[in-house]
Amino acid sequence: MKKLLNDPADVVVEALAGMAAAHPGQLRVDLDHKLVLRADAPVSGKVALVSGGGSGHEPLHGGFVGRGMLSAACAGEVFTSPVPDQILAATTAVDGGAGVLHVVKNYTGDVMNFEMAAELAGESGIQVEAVVTDDDVAVQDSLYTAGRRGVGVTVLLEKIVGAAAEEGQDLASCAALARRVNEQGRSMGIALTSCTVPAAGKPTFELADDEMEIGIGIHGEPGRSTEKLAPARDIAARLVEPVVSDLSLERGEQVIAFVNGMGGTPLLELYLMYGEVQRLLDDAGITVARSLVGNYITSLEMAGCSVTLLRADEEMTRLWDAPVDTPGLRWGG
């Protein structure tokens, strides 16, 4: 295993300390609870967004803390859910009196621990709503989930709903918007290589040099099938077609198209893949209203990518364009 580490047991805390040092005016970090918080949190009268999950998916979630996105993120150990005490501490720290929205990816541990934390927060008088993302069309159930996995839509949801909270929408409106984004978005991924969890010291799964895994999860879970490596145009079709089908997208509709890297794929290849994705959408008469390309929800150093399509309405597009200022995503005034 070749990684830039000191002790594998300390990787999360040391990474969070480095994040705090790199973004002192933007974030503050609670190393005891492994939390990343907006520097100005709590913001009085504003709905707070709290998310989190296992580390190893950076910039998700800590890199999306800041103006226009999350108020706080809880960092579990690598590929391990944050615990209820962490989530409760984050919820309490950022509550500005307007309630807190939990954004939870559909993994069994995440769902259970966020539910426990929400109950505890409610007992202390904090109003909490939760939305669970489950956009992965690859498999219905997996090693970590009952039902579909939460993947790329999580990033788009945090941006869009974060903008809604920033402009003053109330908790019920933010929660309803979050559910609508989740319902209108779907994702599918592929892996060319495995990744190596620092504590394990060896690859999570094996792929031959001429093989790819179609429908991979962000923790290295198996997908639909292991197949021979194919040209990018064919891989793009294998990812786009099930997403378009599951969403029942029709000619004339608009989407936000997101081509995401899994951590080990260079932008050269991701932009090539985006070109293939847009060509397929153009051929289907589907308009790309907005796009995002890059490493945003990763799986350590896994090579591969995922495609997320979100059926876009006018409100979603407007909120997507709203200013955002986080370490992982930044545009606007």
Side-chain angles (χ1 to χ4, degrees):
M1 179 175 70
K2 288 185 177 181
K3 290 183 180 290
L4 299 173
L5 301 174
N6 295 311
D7 185 327
D10 298 329
V11 62
V12 174
V13 168
E14 291 183 353
L16 290 174
M19 194 172 188
H23 304 282
Q26 202 168 29
L27 309 174
R28 70 178 194 273
V29 173
D30 176 348
L31 292 178
D32 291 333
H33 291 100
K34 299 187 181 73
L35 306 179
V36 180
L37 307 161
R38 272 180 64 149
D40 60 351
V43 179
S44 180
K46 175 191 170 298
V47 171
L49 269 67
V50 173
S51 194
S55 296
H57 304 304
E58 290 75 19
L60 193 85
H61 289 276
F64 298 138
V65 173
R67 182 170 62 91
M69 284 191 80
L70 297 177
S71 304
C74 313
E77 293 301 319
V78 174
F79 294 177
T80 303
S81 302
V83 298
D85 285 352
Q86 285 179 275
I87 302 163
L88 178 62
T91 302
T92 303
V94 299
D95 176 41
V100 178
L101 180 66
H102 285 172
V103 179
V104 189
K105 301 189 302 304
N106 188 34
Y107 297 95
T108 303
D110 289 25
V111 172
M112 179 178 66
N113 291 343
F114 270 91
E115 283 179 351
M116 292 173 63
E119 290 178 9
L120 293 170
E123 291 171 4
S124 64
I126 300 174
Q127 187 179 4
V128 177
E129 288 268 6
V131 61
V132 177
T133 61
D134 58 354
D135 53 299
D136 190 347
V137 304
V139 289
Q140 181 59 39
D141 297 297
S142 73
L143 299 178
Y144 291 78
T145 66
R148 291 177 165 180
R149 301 175 291 218
V151 285
V153 155
T154 313
V155 177
L156 308 185
L157 187 154
E158 289 175 357
K159 168 63 187 83
I160 290 168
V161 182
E166 203 71 48
E167 71 178 22
Q169 293 193 30
D170 64 17
L171 182 59
S173 297
C174 288
L177 174 63
R179 294 184 183 109
R180 193 166 90 242
V181 171
N182 182 61
E183 289 165 1
Q184 297 300 323
R186 298 288 188 274
S187 302
M188 179 89 160
I190 176 185
L192 303 179
T193 69
S194 179
C195 58
T196 299
V197 174
K202 60 183 181 180
T204 303
F205 61 94
E206 297 292 336
L207 280 176
D209 289 345
D210 63 345
E211 289 181 334
M212 59 182 178
E213 184 77 13
I214 298 287
I216 196 71
I218 58 173
H219 306 96
E221 309 99 305
R224 290 186 172 184
S225 59
T226 302
E227 302 178 12
K228 293 297 183 181
L229 189 62
R233 67 178 67 87
D234 297 335
I235 296 172
R238 294 297 306 277
L239 300 181
V240 169
E241 287 167 4
V243 170
V244 168
S245 175
D246 202 279
L247 280 173
S248 299
L249 284 168
E250 297 180 352
R251 187 171 294 274
E253 292 197 271
Q254 294 193 343
V255 296
I256 296 174
F258 174 27
V259 171
N260 172 66
M262 304 305 293
T265 300
L267 276 170
L268 178 75
E269 296 172 33
L270 295 179
Y271 276 118
L272 187 156
M273 281 294 294
Y274 178 81
E276 297 294 344
V277 168
Q278 176 144 348
R279 179 182 58 78
L280 290 164
L281 295 173
D282 287 346
D283 289 347
I286 297 165
T287 300
V288 176
R290 302 290 186 274
S291 61
L292 183 67
V293 181
N295 290 287
Y296 293 102
I297 174 169
T298 62
S299 186
L300 295 169
E301 80 282 20
M302 182 187 287
C305 70
S306 61
V307 171
T308 300
L309 300 179
L310 172 63
R311 177 183 276 112
D313 58 34
E314 187 175 329
E315 182 184 25
M316 289 182 196
T317 305
R318 177 180 64 79
L319 292 169
W320 180 258
D321 290 342
V324 58
D325 186 13
T326 72
L329 206 64
R330 178 182 302 168
W331 60 67

PDB file of all heavy atoms in Angstrom, residues 68-91:
ATOM      1  N   GLY A  68     -24.132  28.586   0.934  1.00  0.00           N
ATOM      2  CA  GLY A  68     -24.839  28.051  -0.208  1.00  0.00           C
ATOM      3  C   GLY A  68     -24.925  26.543  -0.258  1.00  0.00           C
ATOM      4  O   GLY A  68     -25.563  25.986  -1.158  1.00  0.00           O
ATOM      5  N   MET A  69     -24.319  25.856   0.721  1.00  0.00           N
ATOM      6  CA  MET A  69     -24.434  24.387   0.746  1.00  0.00           C
ATOM      7  C   MET A  69     -24.672  23.924   2.181  1.00  0.00           C
ATOM      8  O   MET A  69     -25.660  24.314   2.795  1.00  0.00           O
ATOM      9  CB  MET A  69     -23.224  23.703   0.088  1.00  0.00           C
ATOM     10  CG  MET A  69     -23.264  23.768  -1.441  1.00  0.00           C
ATOM     11  SD  MET A  69     -22.059  22.733  -2.336  1.00  0.00           S
ATOM     12  CE  MET A  69     -22.830  21.124  -2.292  1.00  0.00           C
ATOM     13  N   LEU A  70     -23.793  23.118   2.724  1.00  0.00           N
ATOM     14  CA  LEU A  70     -24.015  22.531   4.042  1.00  0.00           C
ATOM     15  C   LEU A  70     -23.600  23.466   5.174  1.00  0.00           C
ATOM     16  O   LEU A  70     -22.666  24.260   5.046  1.00  0.00           O
ATOM     17  CB  LEU A  70     -23.228  21.228   4.174  1.00  0.00           C
ATOM     18  CG  LEU A  70     -23.592  20.083   3.239  1.00  0.00           C
ATOM     19  CD1 LEU A  70     -22.649  18.897   3.462  1.00  0.00           C
ATOM     20  CD2 LEU A  70     -25.041  19.658   3.437  1.00  0.00           C
ATOM     21  N   SER A  71     -24.298  23.304   6.287  1.00  0.00           N
ATOM     22  CA  SER A  71     -23.898  23.994   7.516  1.00  0.00           C
ATOM     23  C   SER A  71     -22.890  23.170   8.295  1.00  0.00           C
ATOM     24  O   SER A  71     -22.051  23.729   9.023  1.00  0.00           O
ATOM     25  CB  SER A  71     -25.126  24.256   8.394  1.00  0.00           C
ATOM     26  OG  SER A  71     -26.111  24.973   7.691  1.00  0.00           O
ATOM     27  N   ALA A  72     -22.983  21.845   8.198  1.00  0.00           N
ATOM     28  CA  ALA A  72     -22.059  20.958   8.907  1.00  0.00           C
ATOM     29  C   ALA A  72     -22.002  19.610   8.218  1.00  0.00           C
ATOM     30  O   ALA A  72     -22.953  19.185   7.564  1.00  0.00           O
ATOM     31  CB  ALA A  72     -22.488  20.779  10.363  1.00  0.00           C
ATOM     32  N   ALA A  73     -20.873  18.941   8.393  1.00  0.00           N
ATOM     33  CA  ALA A  73     -20.694  17.572   7.904  1.00  0.00           C
ATOM     34  C   ALA A  73     -20.043  16.746   9.002  1.00  0.00           C
ATOM     35  O   ALA A  73     -19.146  17.221   9.704  1.00  0.00           O
ATOM     36  CB  ALA A  73     -19.827  17.551   6.653  1.00  0.00           C
ATOM     37  N   CYS A  74     -20.503  15.508   9.124  1.00  0.00           N
ATOM     38  CA  CYS A  74     -19.984  14.568  10.118  1.00  0.00           C
ATOM     39  C   CYS A  74     -19.111  13.548   9.397  1.00  0.00           C
ATOM     40  O   CYS A  74     -19.584  12.895   8.456  1.00  0.00           O
ATOM     41  CB  CYS A  74     -21.121  13.837  10.821  1.00  0.00           C
ATOM     42  SG  CYS A  74     -22.465  14.885  11.377  1.00  0.00           S
ATOM     43  N   ALA A  75     -17.880  13.391   9.831  1.00  0.00           N
ATOM     44  CA  ALA A  75     -16.941  12.495   9.164  1.00  0.00           C
ATOM     45  C   ALA A  75     -16.795  11.207   9.961  1.00  0.00           C
ATOM     46  O   ALA A  75     -16.192  11.196  11.047  1.00  0.00           O
ATOM     47  CB  ALA A  75     -15.581  13.173   9.005  1.00  0.00           C
ATOM     48  N   GLY A  76     -17.349  10.116   9.428  1.00  0.00           N
ATOM     49  CA  GLY A  76     -17.094   8.815  10.015  1.00  0.00           C
ATOM     50  C   GLY A  76     -15.697   8.344   9.671  1.00  0.00           C
ATOM     51  O   GLY A  76     -14.959   8.988   8.917  1.00  0.00           O
ATOM     52  N   GLU A  77     -15.298   7.215  10.223  1.00  0.00           N
ATOM     53  CA  GLU A  77     -14.055   6.602   9.779  1.00  0.00           C
ATOM     54  C   GLU A  77     -14.216   6.199   8.310  1.00  0.00           C
ATOM     55  O   GLU A  77     -15.305   6.280   7.746  1.00  0.00           O
ATOM     56  CB  GLU A  77     -13.715   5.398  10.659  1.00  0.00           C
ATOM     57  CG  GLU A  77     -13.383   5.758  12.090  1.00  0.00           C
ATOM     58  CD  GLU A  77     -12.193   6.707  12.212  1.00  0.00           C
ATOM     59  OE1 GLU A  77     -11.193   6.519  11.478  1.00  0.00           O
ATOM     60  OE2 GLU A  77     -12.255   7.642  13.038  1.00  0.00           O
ATOM     61  N   VAL A  78     -13.138   5.770   7.669  1.00  0.00           N
ATOM     62  CA  VAL A  78     -13.185   5.486   6.235  1.00  0.00           C
ATOM     63  C   VAL A  78     -14.245   4.429   5.944  1.00  0.00           C
ATOM     64  O   VAL A  78     -14.221   3.323   6.505  1.00  0.00           O
ATOM     65  CB  VAL A  78     -11.808   5.041   5.728  1.00  0.00           C
ATOM     66  CG1 VAL A  78     -11.892   4.601   4.252  1.00  0.00           C
ATOM     67  CG2 VAL A  78     -10.795   6.172   5.874  1.00  0.00           C
ATOM     68  N   PHE A  79     -15.198   4.810   5.089  1.00  0.00           N
ATOM     69  CA  PHE A  79     -16.307   3.947   4.658  1.00  0.00           C
ATOM     70  C   PHE A  79     -17.145   3.443   5.837  1.00  0.00           C
ATOM     71  O   PHE A  79     -17.754   2.368   5.757  1.00  0.00           O
ATOM     72  CB  PHE A  79     -15.793   2.765   3.835  1.00  0.00           C
ATOM     73  CG  PHE A  79     -15.174   3.124   2.515  1.00  0.00           C
ATOM     74  CD1 PHE A  79     -14.612   2.138   1.721  1.00  0.00           C
ATOM     75  CD2 PHE A  79     -15.154   4.434   2.052  1.00  0.00           C
ATOM     76  CE1 PHE A  79     -14.043   2.451   0.480  1.00  0.00           C
ATOM     77  CE2 PHE A  79     -14.576   4.759   0.829  1.00  0.00           C
ATOM     78  CZ  PHE A  79     -14.022   3.764   0.045  1.00  0.00           C
ATOM     79  N   THR A  80     -17.212   4.228   6.911  1.00  0.00           N
ATOM     80  CA  THR A  80     -17.956   3.845   8.116  1.00  0.00           C
ATOM     81  C   THR A  80     -18.868   4.991   8.521  1.00  0.00           C
ATOM     82  O   THR A  80     -18.444   6.147   8.568  1.00  0.00           O
ATOM     83  CB  THR A  80     -16.996   3.511   9.276  1.00  0.00           C
ATOM     84  OG1 THR A  80     -16.107   2.476   8.856  1.00  0.00           O
ATOM     85  CG2 THR A  80     -17.761   3.061  10.500  1.00  0.00           C
ATOM     86  N   SER A  81     -20.099   4.704   8.842  1.00  0.00           N
ATOM     87  CA  SER A  81     -21.076   5.740   9.175  1.00  0.00           C
ATOM     88  C   SER A  81     -20.644   6.548  10.396  1.00  0.00           C
ATOM     89  O   SER A  81     -20.051   6.001  11.340  1.00  0.00           O
ATOM     90  CB  SER A  81     -22.435   5.105   9.467  1.00  0.00           C
ATOM     91  OG  SER A  81     -22.895   4.362   8.370  1.00  0.00           O
ATOM     92  N   PRO A  82     -20.961   7.849  10.414  1.00  0.00           N
ATOM     93  CA  PRO A  82     -20.789   8.615  11.648  1.00  0.00           C
ATOM     94  C   PRO A  82     -21.750   8.097  12.712  1.00  0.00           C
ATOM     95  O   PRO A  82     -22.791   7.518  12.394  1.00  0.00           O
ATOM     96  CB  PRO A  82     -21.126  10.050  11.234  1.00  0.00           C
ATOM     97  CG  PRO A  82     -21.979   9.904  10.020  1.00  0.00           C
ATOM     98  CD  PRO A  82     -21.548   8.654   9.328  1.00  0.00           C
ATOM     99  N   VAL A  83     -21.402   8.306  13.965  1.00  0.00           N
ATOM    100  CA  VAL A  83     -22.223   7.791  15.069  1.00  0.00           C
ATOM    101  C   VAL A  83     -23.228   8.854  15.505  1.00  0.00           C
ATOM    102  O   VAL A  83     -23.063  10.050  15.215  1.00  0.00           O
ATOM    103  CB  VAL A  83     -21.349   7.350  16.258  1.00  0.00           C
ATOM    104  CG1 VAL A  83     -20.426   6.216  15.823  1.00  0.00           C
ATOM    105  CG2 VAL A  83     -20.552   8.517  16.814  1.00  0.00           C
ATOM    106  N   PRO A  84     -24.310   8.443  16.191  1.00  0.00           N
ATOM    107  CA  PRO A  84     -25.347   9.414  16.589  1.00  0.00           C
ATOM    108  C   PRO A  84     -24.821  10.597  17.380  1.00  0.00           C
ATOM    109  O   PRO A  84     -25.301  11.725  17.201  1.00  0.00           O
ATOM    110  CB  PRO A  84     -26.314   8.558  17.415  1.00  0.00           C
ATOM    111  CG  PRO A  84     -26.176   7.189  16.846  1.00  0.00           C
ATOM    112  CD  PRO A  84     -24.722   7.050  16.502  1.00  0.00           C
ATOM    113  N   ASP A  85     -23.843  10.390  18.257  1.00  0.00           N
ATOM    114  CA  ASP A  85     -23.313  11.506  19.052  1.00  0.00           C
ATOM    115  C   ASP A  85     -22.699  12.577  18.160  1.00  0.00           C
ATOM    116  O   ASP A  85     -22.832  13.777  18.431  1.00  0.00           O
ATOM    117  CB  ASP A  85     -22.269  11.002  20.050  1.00  0.00           C
ATOM    118  CG  ASP A  85     -22.888  10.274  21.232  1.00  0.00           C
ATOM    119  OD1 ASP A  85     -24.136  10.288  21.354  1.00  0.00           O
ATOM    120  OD2 ASP A  85     -22.131   9.691  22.029  1.00  0.00           O
ATOM    121  N   GLN A  86     -22.009  12.153  17.098  1.00  0.00           N
ATOM    122  CA  GLN A  86     -21.453  13.115  16.152  1.00  0.00           C
ATOM    123  C   GLN A  86     -22.559  13.927  15.484  1.00  0.00           C
ATOM    124  O   GLN A  86     -22.478  15.155  15.372  1.00  0.00           O
ATOM    125  CB  GLN A  86     -20.676  12.397  15.044  1.00  0.00           C
ATOM    126  CG  GLN A  86     -19.326  11.846  15.371  1.00  0.00           C
ATOM    127  CD  GLN A  86     -18.747  11.169  14.152  1.00  0.00           C
ATOM    128  OE1 GLN A  86     -19.033  10.003  13.907  1.00  0.00           O
ATOM    129  NE2 GLN A  86     -17.939  11.885  13.387  1.00  0.00           N
ATOM    130  N   ILE A  87     -23.556  13.221  15.002  1.00  0.00           N
ATOM    131  CA  ILE A  87     -24.638  13.864  14.246  1.00  0.00           C
ATOM    132  C   ILE A  87     -25.419  14.805  15.155  1.00  0.00           C
ATOM    133  O   ILE A  87     -25.782  15.925  14.743  1.00  0.00           O
ATOM    134  CB  ILE A  87     -25.552  12.793  13.626  1.00  0.00           C
ATOM    135  CG1 ILE A  87     -24.739  11.871  12.709  1.00  0.00           C
ATOM    136  CG2 ILE A  87     -26.687  13.445  12.843  1.00  0.00           C
ATOM    137  CD1 ILE A  87     -25.431  10.563  12.361  1.00  0.00           C
ATOM    138  N   LEU A  88     -25.656  14.391  16.395  1.00  0.00           N
ATOM    139  CA  LEU A  88     -26.344  15.260  17.351  1.00  0.00           C
ATOM    140  C   LEU A  88     -25.519  16.506  17.641  1.00  0.00           C
ATOM    141  O   LEU A  88     -26.057  17.623  17.699  1.00  0.00           O
ATOM    142  CB  LEU A  88     -26.626  14.494  18.636  1.00  0.00           C
ATOM    143  CG  LEU A  88     -27.295  15.298  19.755  1.00  0.00           C
ATOM    144  CD1 LEU A  88     -28.666  15.810  19.327  1.00  0.00           C
ATOM    145  CD2 LEU A  88     -27.413  14.445  21.024  1.00  0.00           C
ATOM    146  N   ALA A  89     -24.213  16.339  17.815  1.00  0.00           N
ATOM    147  CA  ALA A  89     -23.348  17.492  18.075  1.00  0.00           C
ATOM    148  C   ALA A  89     -23.376  18.466  16.911  1.00  0.00           C
ATOM    149  O   ALA A  89     -23.432  19.698  17.106  1.00  0.00           O
ATOM    150  CB  ALA A  89     -21.920  17.024  18.352  1.00  0.00           C
ATOM    151  N   ALA A  90     -23.354  17.944  15.683  1.00  0.00           N
ATOM    152  CA  ALA A  90     -23.420  18.814  14.510  1.00  0.00           C
ATOM    153  C   ALA A  90     -24.754  19.542  14.440  1.00  0.00           C
ATOM    154  O   ALA A  90     -24.813  20.752  14.170  1.00  0.00           O
ATOM    155  CB  ALA A  90     -23.199  17.996  13.245  1.00  0.00           C
ATOM    156  N   THR A  91     -25.835  18.807  14.676  1.00  0.00           N
ATOM    157  CA  THR A  91     -27.178  19.388  14.608  1.00  0.00           C
ATOM    158  C   THR A  91     -27.339  20.502  15.625  1.00  0.00           C
ATOM    159  O   THR A  91     -27.878  21.572  15.324  1.00  0.00           O
ATOM    160  CB  THR A  91     -28.225  18.273  14.840  1.00  0.00           C
ATOM    161  OG1 THR A  91     -28.031  17.252  13.851  1.00  0.00           O
ATOM    162  CG2 THR A  91     -29.634  18.808  14.754  1.00  0.00           C
TER     163      THR A  91
END
